[in-house]
Structure formats: structure tokens, C-alpha cells
Amino acid sequence: MVKILSVENGVQAKEEIEKLVSQGYDKDDIYLFAHYQEREDDLAKALDVETPGIGETGFFQTMKNFVAKRGDELRSEFEGVGLSKQEADEYERVLDTGKLVLVAQDK
């Protein structure tokens, strides 16, 4: 089961991450997405959560993402953490508005 949340900024992301952890989600299973890679990396590091990598998208898709446009890369990463193609398209559009997306996976 995947839980998906959209937030306006890093402060709201922190609050939602704390709620997810209190609900039993592990920070290693919470992924943060932002439209801009640098913002995504900085916020994920500050909030001690994950960004999708080879483990989620696979080696070949990760290599393909190096030359893909950011939107294509994000949709691929969304699918890698358990979203359907339709959900990946929807949440990539959410990122286009400047919001952040959190994806939490339960085990």
C-alpha cells in the first residue's frame, strides 16, 4: 500500500513526515519528490527521507533517466516507488505547480 501526499513547502513536508512516522512508516520508506532535482535532494537530506534511486527504478531506467527530461524522469521514479502510470502523470503535474509530493510505502 502506498500513501501519497501533496504539500506546499518544506515546513508542511516536515509536519506530514512526522505524522507518517507516528503512524508507523519508516523514514527509509518515505520518498520526497520536487520538480527541481537540487530542491529535492536538499529537502530530502534536511528531512532525513529518501529520494528514488537505482533500487526503486532499476539500473537501466536510472541510466536512461540521466538523458531524459525531468518530467519523464519524475514519472519513471513515481512508478518505481509504486504509483500507477496514471498516478505518476497526475503527480508530475502537481510538481509542475511548485508543490512537493511525499510517497510512503508500508511493508
Side-chain angles (χ1 to χ4, degrees):
M1 178 82 172
V2 175
K3 186 169 191 172
I4 308 163
L5 302 166
S6 171
V7 296
E8 296 289 331
N9 54 45
V11 173
Q12 287 181 356
K14 183 179 190 296
E15 292 169 0
E16 292 300 329
I17 290 166
E18 289 170 357
K19 287 179 192 176
L20 289 167
V21 170
S22 73
Q23 294 170 10
Y25 289 92
D26 190 295
K27 281 192 170 186
D28 289 339
D29 297 319
I30 301 172
Y31 297 88
L32 183 137
F33 292 85
H35 190 272
Y36 296 102
Q37 183 72 53
E38 187 174 328
R39 181 178 186 212
E40 180 177 291
D41 293 340
D42 290 346
L43 283 169
K45 184 176 179 179
L47 298 172
D48 193 29
V49 294
E50 300 297 318
T51 59
I54 291 176
E56 292 74 34
T57 58
F59 176 77
F60 291 109
Q61 186 61 47
T62 300
M63 293 298 108
K64 182 179 174 185
N65 286 344
F66 278 122
V67 295
K69 293 182 180 178
R70 182 66 175 152
D72 294 335
E73 176 184 4
L74 287 164
R75 285 187 292 278
S76 171
E77 290 175 349
F78 276 134
E79 290 179 41
V81 296
L83 277 67
S84 69
K85 185 169 183 55
Q86 181 180 352
E87 289 171 322
D89 289 341
E90 175 185 343
Y91 285 102
E92 193 272 326
R93 286 191 298 272
V94 169
L95 294 177
D96 287 343
T97 68
K99 293 182 180 181
L100 303 171
V101 173
L102 298 170
V103 177
Q105 300 175 325
D106 60 359
K107 292 185 179 185

